[in-house]
Amino acid sequence: MKKKSFVFIVCCLLTVVCCPLSAQTSFGERPKLVVGIVVDQMRWDYLSRYYEQFTDGGFRRLLGEGYSYNNCLINYVPTVTAIGHASIYTGTTPAFHGICGNNFYIDEEKVYCVSDPTVEPVGSDNRKDGCMSPVNLVATTIGDQLRLHTDFRSKVIGVSYKDRAAILPAGHAANAAYWLDRKNRQFITSTYYMQELPEWAKAYNCELIKNEEFKRVGKDVGLYPLCGHITTDMAIAALKGEQLGKGDVTDMLCVSYSQTDVIGHKYSTRGEHTNEAYLELDKDIARLLSALDEQVGRGQYLLFLTADHGGAHNWKFMQDHKLSAAPFWSDHLKEQIYEESRNDIGDEGDFIGDIMDCRIFLDWKHIREHGLITADMTHHVLNLVRKHQDVIFAAAYEDLATTAMPPILRERALLGYYPGRSGDIIYIPKPNFYEYGSWSSPIGTTHGLWNPHDAHIPMVFFGWKVPHGENPRETHITDFAATVCAMLHIQQPNACIGEALRFE
């Protein structure tokens, strides 16, 4: 045998042996169950910060047996809960899936991302918390594609403390999404999915009513690890009650843990409350994995874990350690704009309808009714925003493609923009200069910016056909959907822009 031929054969054999396991799956092979876990406000560096304190059965098991991409970034702004959950499961960004904030505007009216007045609550009479659906999501999810591929025989279930964190991951065609009605201490859904809760959900709700710790904390359950415990219990109840992973097609369970976000806003990234939240969450992850092993079988389910966004360190904590940070007051920005507009506009009231997530929503109805300045109102306000001492870049969305701005910021702003919903002007504050007020306490924090403290998140795959390893290459939040769909050999969600990753 010639030397070149021998080398060629050896190389081919090595390729087969070393080829990522996901690439070796055949078209007939699929896991029994796909499990998506999202940890709200989990910074990527928490994996290493708490590693030595984690148990062997939780996060350390995921990292020790699974595959971690260590440079997963969110590739849009703003980095907030609803957008993150939608982007993970659709494989795309607000520019295509339409969820451009926890709240945004449609036809100049402010809406909550999953609010739907055409449906009714199920399991509760609380319309405020129960009239919810994926009505505003304009792209399909992994679960939608799985249901389509199996002629809707697959079961897809979403579970979370937050409504948006259960509804958006599960998608349009989901069998159910369950979230917590804090007032009545019940997991509920809406008539979008069903007319009555299944018996297993009713049974678990009966246990919740008797829970003495829940009685004690009441509506503030999100501030306690208990929130994670009951989310895990509900997920396991769904796993067993719906017999997920027991059929002849692949099912999907979407679980999101919200207490970490509520606690982060209240207590920031350091301190006993945050430490307790992650160490208790580790135990919940271990319990969920054990239940999956028992119900579905080790190696028979494909699981991924990530976050919807990260979180900044508290600005005072940073200043105390001689690091640059400060609160950013959007109300002060609005006052500055109004003050400097008086010579041109006079006292004609509020022409700024809202400021959310570093975006300005002009009140066009007010502007039209008062016939405010004949010059372009958007650029009038933009020029004033640029004068703010803590704003480093600002742009009108309509001019974003040609604005003098670093390409990475321009691209993330464009990918985060959905016409008619995202407002008129976006501004970029200095790093760790975040909105201080309704979303954070004096010792807490928030998120929403492009910076790594908000945009660098975990990306861990585990279980079926996933080898052990880690990779430092840059990946994105939009890659989860593309990767999972490639492993399942099903079509990507209909607006997916992510890359199908290889474990190499």
Side-chain angles (χ1 to χ4, degrees):
M1 181 182 292
K2 294 183 179 179
K3 184 176 181 181
K4 288 184 179 180
S5 299
F6 175 78
V7 172
F8 175 77
I9 293 172
V10 170
C11 289
C12 289
L13 290 172
L14 286 174
T15 299
V16 172
V17 173
C18 299
C19 181
L21 292 181
S22 62
Q24 292 183 28
T25 61
S26 71
F27 281 90
E29 287 186 292
R30 291 189 183 88
K32 295 180 179 180
L33 179 68
V34 177
V35 181
I37 299 177
V38 180
V39 182
D40 206 322
Q41 203 185 123
M42 184 176 184
R43 295 163 55 106
W44 171 79
D45 59 352
Y46 285 164
L47 289 174
S48 58
R49 174 174 173 78
Y50 295 111
Y51 184 81
E52 296 302 326
Q53 297 169 270
F54 287 148
T55 63
D56 289 336
F59 283 106
R60 286 177 71 166
R61 180 181 171 192
L62 294 179
L63 295 171
E65 298 178 24
Y67 198 97
S68 176
Y69 283 96
N70 293 331
N71 192 24
C72 181
L73 302 175
I74 296 175
N75 53 347
Y76 55 78
V77 285
T79 48
V80 298
T81 296
I83 303 179
H85 282 82
S87 298
I88 292 163
Y89 286 88
T90 62
T92 193
T93 71
F96 302 103
H97 62 56
I99 302 299
C100 48
N102 295 332
N103 298 280
F104 43 85
Y105 282 75
I106 298 178
D107 296 328
E108 300 184 11
E109 294 293 329
K110 191 173 184 178
V111 300
Y112 177 57
C113 58
V114 292
S115 179
D116 185 353
T118 70
V119 302
E120 297 292 328
V122 173
S124 168
D125 59 359
N126 184 353
R127 287 184 55 82
K128 180 181 178 182
D129 290 346
C131 296
M132 305 290 171
S133 84
V135 62
N136 295 317
L137 180 67
V138 299
T140 60
T141 63
I142 301 170
D144 291 333
Q145 297 302 137
L146 183 59
R147 295 265 289 158
L148 278 165
H149 192 85
T150 62
D151 292 328
F152 302 95
R153 290 181 294 144
S154 293
K155 291 183 179 180
V156 177
I157 307 286
V159 175
S160 183
Y161 164 81
K162 293 181 180 180
D163 46 29
R164 57 189 181 271
I167 292 169
L168 296 172
H172 299 276
N175 300 83
Y178 301 99
W179 58 94
L180 191 66
D181 175 355
R182 295 177 298 161
K183 177 182 176 182
N184 296 312
R185 301 203 312 276
Q186 302 280 283
F187 275 97
I188 63 173
T189 187
S190 77
T191 52
Y192 178 87
Y193 304 98
M194 63 188 73
Q195 298 300 313
E196 185 178 0
L197 288 176
E199 291 303 316
W200 64 262
K202 292 179 182 178
Y204 182 62
N205 278 335
C206 288
E207 293 181 27
L208 274 184
I209 292 174
K210 300 174 186 177
N211 189 305
E212 293 298 325
E213 187 179 2
F214 203 166
K215 290 180 183 179
R216 178 178 61 82
V217 301
K219 292 182 180 180
D220 292 330
V221 63
L223 280 172
Y224 297 88
L226 172 65
C227 182
H229 302 337
I230 64 177
T231 300
T232 304
D233 290 341
M234 183 63 176
I236 293 174
L239 176 71
K240 295 179 178 180
E242 296 292 343
Q243 290 290 287
L244 300 179
K246 293 291 190 179
D248 59 356
V249 293
T250 303
D251 297 322
M252 186 166 192
L253 177 62
C254 311
V255 184
S256 180
Y257 290 100
S258 307
Q259 74 279 3
T260 44
D261 181 69
V262 182
I263 290 169
H265 281 295
K266 180 74 172 179
Y267 299 110
S268 191
T269 60
R270 293 290 188 268
E272 60 177 319
H273 296 285
T274 304
N275 294 346
E276 180 188 26
Y278 280 93
L279 297 184
E280 287 297 309
L281 173 61
D282 178 58
K283 298 175 185 176
D284 285 323
I285 297 291
R287 285 201 300 122
L288 181 57
L289 292 178
S290 293
L292 290 166
D293 289 345
E294 179 181 350
Q295 180 75 8
V296 185
R298 286 180 78 109
Q300 298 301 309
Y301 57 92
L302 170 64
L303 180 148
F304 63 84
L305 180 140
T306 187
D308 52 347
H309 54 74
H313 294 307
N314 176 267
W315 66 269
K316 187 66 168 58
F317 167 84
M318 295 285 280
Q319 287 186 355
D320 288 345
H321 292 83
K322 301 179 180 180
L323 296 165
S324 175
F328 188 99
W329 304 90
S330 60
D331 286 344
H332 292 179
L333 173 61
K334 183 188 290 188
E335 291 169 6
Q336 175 182 316
I337 292 170
Y338 285 161
E339 180 65 30
E340 296 188 25
S341 296
R342 284 201 173 96
N343 290 336
D344 297 314
I345 297 174
D347 296 315
E348 292 294 345
D350 297 334
F351 54 82
I352 294 177
D354 217 331
I355 299 181
M356 295 188 297
D357 306 320
C358 298
R359 297 170 300 177
I360 296 176
F361 297 74
L362 296 179
D363 187 339
W364 289 105
K365 181 179 179 181
H366 180 92
I367 291 169
R368 290 191 299 269
E369 288 177 350
H370 289 79
L372 300 184
I373 60 173
T374 55
D376 187 332
M377 195 68 183
T378 301
H379 291 92
H380 168 79
V381 174
L382 173 61
N383 290 333
L384 297 178
V385 172
R386 286 173 170 165
K387 292 182 180 180
H388 193 283
Q389 61 181 2
D390 295 326
V391 172
I392 52 177
F393 295 102
Y397 274 118
E398 63 185 21
D399 299 331
L400 197 53
T402 57
T403 297
M405 181 183 288
I408 187 173
L409 296 185
R410 183 186 300 112
E411 180 180 0
R412 293 189 186 188
L414 283 169
L415 288 174
Y417 174 65
Y418 191 90
R421 295 187 179 188
S422 295
D424 303 282
I425 295 168
I426 184 170
Y427 58 87
I428 308 294
K430 297 174 182 176
N432 228 112
F433 278 56
Y434 59 82
E435 180 70 23
Y436 174 72
S438 61
W439 288 108
S440 59
S441 72
I443 59 172
T445 190
T446 192
H447 50 84
L449 306 180
W450 70 274
N451 310 84
H453 49 68
D454 290 351
H456 189 187
I457 56 175
M459 184 181 223
V460 181
F461 292 90
F462 172 87
W464 184 80
K465 300 295 185 180
V466 177
H468 171 55
E470 60 180 313
N471 197 313
R473 61 160 289 195
E474 181 176 324
T475 58
H476 300 107
I477 191 172
T478 49
D479 296 336
F480 283 98
T483 302
V484 171
C485 289
M487 293 182 72
L488 298 182
H489 294 104
I490 64 175
Q491 186 59 271
Q492 296 176 349
N494 61 13
C496 184
I497 62 171
E499 176 186 352
L501 303 173
R502 294 167 63 91
F503 306 121
E504 51 190 8

